[in-house]
Amino acid sequence: MDTATLGALGTILVGVAVAGASLVGHRSQSRSARDGQVLGGYSTLVDNLQEERDKLLAQLADSGAQLAAAYADLARERADASALHARIAALTAERDTLRARLDELEGRPA
C-alpha cells in the first residue's frame, strides 16, 4: 500500500472515531439535559405541594378556631337555657305556694 492510500484510510478511521465520540457526547448531553428537567420538575412539584399543604394547614387552623367558637356559643346557650329552666321552676313553685296560701285563707283565685 502506498502512502496516499494509508493516509486516506487513516483519515477515514479518524473521521469515524470523531463521529462516534460526537454521538456518545451528544447522548450524554441529552441525558444530562433530561435529568436536569426531571430534577427541575420534581423541585417545582415539591414546592407546589408544600404551598398547598401550608394553605390546608391554615384552613384547618381556621376551622378549628371556628369550631371552638361554636362550642363556646353552645355552652353559653345551654347555660342560659339552664338558668331559664331554673327560673321557671322557681316561679312555678312560688305560684303553687301562693295558691296553697290562698286556699288556706279560703280565697278563690281568679
Side-chain angles (χ1 to χ4, degrees), residues 53-99:
R53 182 201 60 204
D54 292 342
K55 288 177 186 176
L56 291 174
L57 286 174
Q59 287 177 352
L60 181 62
D62 186 45
S63 295
Q66 289 177 0
L67 185 60
Y71 275 124
D73 287 344
L74 180 61
R76 279 192 297 276
E77 292 292 328
R78 285 182 178 170
D80 291 346
S82 179
L84 288 175
H85 286 295
R87 180 73 175 138
I88 289 169
L91 290 173
T92 302
E94 183 180 353
R95 182 197 65 194
D96 293 342
T97 303
L98 290 175
R99 285 191 181 197

Side-chain angles (χ1 to χ4, degrees), residues 9 15 19 24 26 28 34 41 43-46 48 52 54 60 64 67 76-77 81 84 88 91 97 101 105 107 110:
L9 198 59
V24 170
H26 184 327
S28 66
R34 184 179 59 240
S43 177
T44 301
L45 178 63
V46 168
N48 291 343
E52 186 175 348
D54 292 342
L60 181 62
L67 185 60
R76 279 192 297 276
E77 292 292 328
L84 288 175
I88 289 169
L91 290 173
T97 303
R101 185 87 195 268
L105 297 173

